[in-house]
């Protein structure tokens, strides 16, 4: 991209493209979305699209990046000692809010937590968990941060793909217990 990162025009253009993609994906799967109708919907030219994104997948990952931030924030929306029986309300809310664009998330987050969105989710969640474990001097911060990121990304992806059954509240409770258990696992 040749525009400055803080350029408000570039930010507006990317926002239009992200919204157009979300609107297109509400009507058809990502695999059926084409650049031409997408740029028409966004009100920008095809060359402008390629100025900002290498391809539709790059735009889709950018459009879903907010989901990654929301997931990381939802998992860390507690203070003090986490109660394994009570997930943060933000976690259940996050899971419930995935429904409108679940097809798009499934296209980018493959079973097991892979795919382009899974890579972003794993990296961001691992970094946040690692930072918080180091802050409190918890043992084996790298190992536990990796395990937490992999477990959450995998469960989320498998749930979106129908491999793990339950509504958002049930999954929030179960994944929360799993993650708290990982944090409390005695090592050594």
């Amino acid at each position: 991209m040749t525009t400055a990162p803080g350029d408000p025009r570039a930010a507006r253009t990317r926002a239009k493209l992200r919204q157009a993609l979300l609107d297109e994906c509400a009507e058809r799967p990502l695999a059926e979305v084409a650049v031409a109708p997408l740029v028409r919907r966004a009100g920008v030219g095809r060359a402008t699209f390629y100025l900002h994104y290498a391809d539709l997948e790059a735009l889709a990952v950018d459009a879903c990046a907010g989901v990654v931030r929301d997931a990381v924030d939802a998992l860390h929306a507690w203070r003090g000692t986490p109660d394994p029986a009570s997930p943060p309300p933000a976690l259940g809310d996050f899971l419930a809010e995935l429904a409108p664009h679940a097809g798009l998330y499934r296209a980018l987050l493959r079973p097991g937590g892979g795919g382009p969105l899974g890579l972003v989710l794993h990296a961001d969640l691992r970094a946040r968990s690692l930072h918080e474990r180091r802050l409190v001097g918890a043992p084996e911060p790298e190992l536990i941060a990796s395990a937490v990121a992999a477990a959450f990304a995998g469960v989320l992806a498998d749930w979106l793909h129908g491999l793990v059954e339950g509504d958002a509240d049930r999954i929030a409770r179960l994944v929360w217990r799993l993650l708290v258990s990982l944090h409390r696992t005695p090592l050594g």
Side-chain angles (χ1 to χ4, degrees), residues 7 27 30 42 59 65 71 74 81-82 101 108 128 144 150 152-153 157 185:
D7 182 351
E27 299 170 6
L30 178 61
L59 168 59
T81 303
H101 299 292
L108 299 171
R128 178 86 169 263
I144 299 300
F152 183 75
T185 301

Side-chain angles (χ1 to χ4, degrees), residues 14-35:
R14 286 190 299 275
K16 286 180 187 178
L17 288 165
R18 287 190 301 265
Q19 187 58 54
L21 178 79
L22 293 174
D23 293 345
E24 287 284 321
C25 287
E27 299 170 6
R28 65 190 51 76
L30 178 61
E32 296 176 15
V33 174
V35 172

